[in-house]
Amino acid sequence: MATEIKTIGVLTSGGDAPGMNAAIRAVVRTAIMRGYSVKGIRHGYNGLLTGDIIDMNLRSVSEIIHRGGTILYTARCLEFKTLEGQQRAAQACRDNGIDALVVIGGDGSLTGARIFAEEYPVTCIGLPGTIDNDLYGTDFTIGYDTALNTIVECVDKIRDTATSHDRIFFVEVMGRDAGFLAQNSAIASGAEAAIIPEDRTDADQLETFIGRGFRKTKNSSIVIVTESPGNKNGGAMHYADRVKREYPGYDVRVSILGHLQRGGAPSANDRILASRLGEAAIQALMEDQHNIMVGIHNNEIVYVPFDQAIKNDKPIDKNLIRVLNELSI
């Protein structure tokens, strides 16, 4: 199979993540160096359906390693989930001579790649591109480190206001069903608590925080909350409303960081990670790998079957919860 691959398509899909451009650059440059032709598919899987496909060369990826977002653009494509959509995508690959796809994205993007590769003769390699850091089998995902640093920078600024006014601030961050951003940004910023989906105990997390994490001797208090889609109890607004009802003596504010977390130039760590994974994606094709995500574990490149990367829940280190609880007294 590896000797039959002549042209590689590369696309970014789902939510954008800092470092995607560095990954595109690594894929294109490594592929060209090893004798492949490369085509860029713009706007994710939508580009396959609409034929928004361009030839890529070394100049195509010049001066992009430091840029946030993705030069290939990205989108979510419901039509690609249908049989008709996949048939159109397969025809587009045939029309453009694309033998293999490198898909950079999160769990939804890699799920699409897995299904597509199982049904059609197009080898798919996935790169974990998501700020949520929620893909199983890789220690880190492209974009996570930059988003984490962005959150910490924002929380540091919010604390200035919280301290000046003796307020409790609930800061909502992204993550969906994963609390990696919330938990680690809470530790890094000196927050008093993190409310995350993984901390599934019978204890009321708000009551625990009020009883332990916030005292009148403190000038301010910061609580980092994972956004509501992954938090069965609701997001920051939910907890702020509860405090207003149940503890009216406290002055409460909410800050929802939103898409601010996705933007900005990628950190050095994300640039290095994306470059290593992009290069490894081409190496995986040369090794005749199929239906795998390229990840990193203990600083070594690993190949993770799509089924494992997508279906298995990535566990958070419960020691991090203990560390935050002890340091926030």
Side-chain angles (χ1 to χ4, degrees):
M1 175 67 73
T3 56
E4 298 177 1
I5 294 176
K6 296 180 180 179
T7 300
I8 299 169
V10 57
L11 64 85
T12 50
S13 175
D16 61 302
M20 281 184 165
N21 280 329
I24 294 167
R25 173 181 179 269
V27 168
V28 172
R29 291 195 169 189
T30 305
I32 290 174
M33 188 190 74
R34 299 188 183 182
Y36 298 103
S37 297
V38 184
K39 292 184 181 289
I41 301 159
R42 304 202 301 177
H43 301 286
Y45 291 116
N46 274 331
L48 275 179
L49 303 186
T50 62
D52 194 357
I53 300 171
I54 59 174
D55 293 323
M56 301 196 76
N57 53 39
L58 296 179
R59 289 183 60 85
S60 304
V61 293
S62 295
E63 305 294 332
I64 69 168
I65 193 172
H66 61 288
R67 292 168 55 183
T70 161
I71 63 166
L72 291 177
Y73 308 106
T74 184
R76 305 184 193 279
C77 182
L78 295 178
E79 189 178 355
F80 185 73
K81 296 181 179 181
T82 68
L83 177 61
E84 180 183 6
Q86 291 167 13
Q87 289 174 343
R88 288 175 59 192
Q91 186 61 51
C93 287
R94 288 191 291 269
D95 292 344
N96 289 273
I98 295 173
D99 309 302
L101 284 177
V102 176
V103 176
I104 308 168
D107 56 352
S109 304
L110 300 192
T111 297
R114 177 187 65 82
I115 295 172
F116 187 61
E118 287 178 349
E119 297 296 329
Y120 301 95
V122 180
T123 299
C124 289
I125 303 294
L127 297 186
T130 168
I131 67 170
D132 298 339
N133 199 40
D134 60 347
L135 286 169
Y136 181 87
T138 183
D139 293 342
F140 302 105
T141 59
I142 297 166
Y144 168 69
D145 183 73
T146 306
L148 181 62
N149 280 283
T150 298
I151 293 169
V152 171
E153 182 180 353
C154 291
V155 173
D156 287 346
K157 296 180 187 300
I158 289 170
R159 189 177 290 280
D160 291 342
T161 294
T163 301
S164 298
H165 295 274
D166 283 338
R167 287 172 175 164
I168 300 176
F169 260 87
F170 287 94
V171 181
E172 183 174 296
V173 302
M174 289 181 170
R176 296 182 60 183
D177 298 319
F180 296 97
L181 284 173
Q183 189 68 44
N184 284 303
S185 64
I187 294 173
S189 63
E192 280 64 45
I195 298 178
I196 61 174
E198 293 89 344
D199 192 10
R200 298 185 179 94
T201 65
D202 292 332
D204 185 311
Q205 294 185 65
L206 180 63
E207 287 185 2
T208 301
F209 157 67
I210 293 292
R212 172 195 54 78
F214 183 71
R215 310 184 311 274
K216 285 296 185 182
T217 56
K218 286 192 174 184
N219 291 327
S220 67
S221 191
I222 305 289
V223 181
I224 314 294
V225 184
T226 301
E227 62 187 348
S228 56
N231 189 333
K232 59 186 173 75
N233 295 321
M237 291 298 299
H238 165 80
Y239 287 101
D241 290 341
R242 277 195 57 192
V243 171
K244 292 175 183 178
R245 292 194 310 269
E246 300 172 25
Y247 308 94
Y250 293 129
D251 189 10
V252 182
R253 294 292 187 275
V254 171
S255 183
I256 299 175
L257 298 187
H259 287 80
L260 175 71
Q261 299 158 82
R262 293 194 184 278
S267 66
N269 283 338
D270 271 329
R271 298 183 199 192
I272 294 167
L273 175 64
S275 297
R276 291 184 65 186
L277 296 183
E279 188 272 345
I282 304 305
Q283 183 62 38
L285 289 173
M286 297 182 70
E287 294 175 7
D288 200 22
Q289 294 288 335
H290 304 269
N291 263 12
I292 57 101
M293 178 191 77
V294 180
I296 192 160
H297 179 61
N298 293 333
N299 206 33
E300 297 289 338
I301 294 294
V302 293
Y303 298 153
V304 185
F306 277 149
D307 282 343
Q308 291 184 23
I310 298 162
K311 294 180 180 179
N312 292 352
D313 290 332
K314 183 176 181 177
I316 200 166
D317 185 353
K318 293 301 179 69
N319 288 322
L320 296 175
I321 299 174
R322 174 181 53 80
V323 168
L324 178 59
N325 289 341
E326 292 181 351
L327 296 183
S328 64
I329 61 172

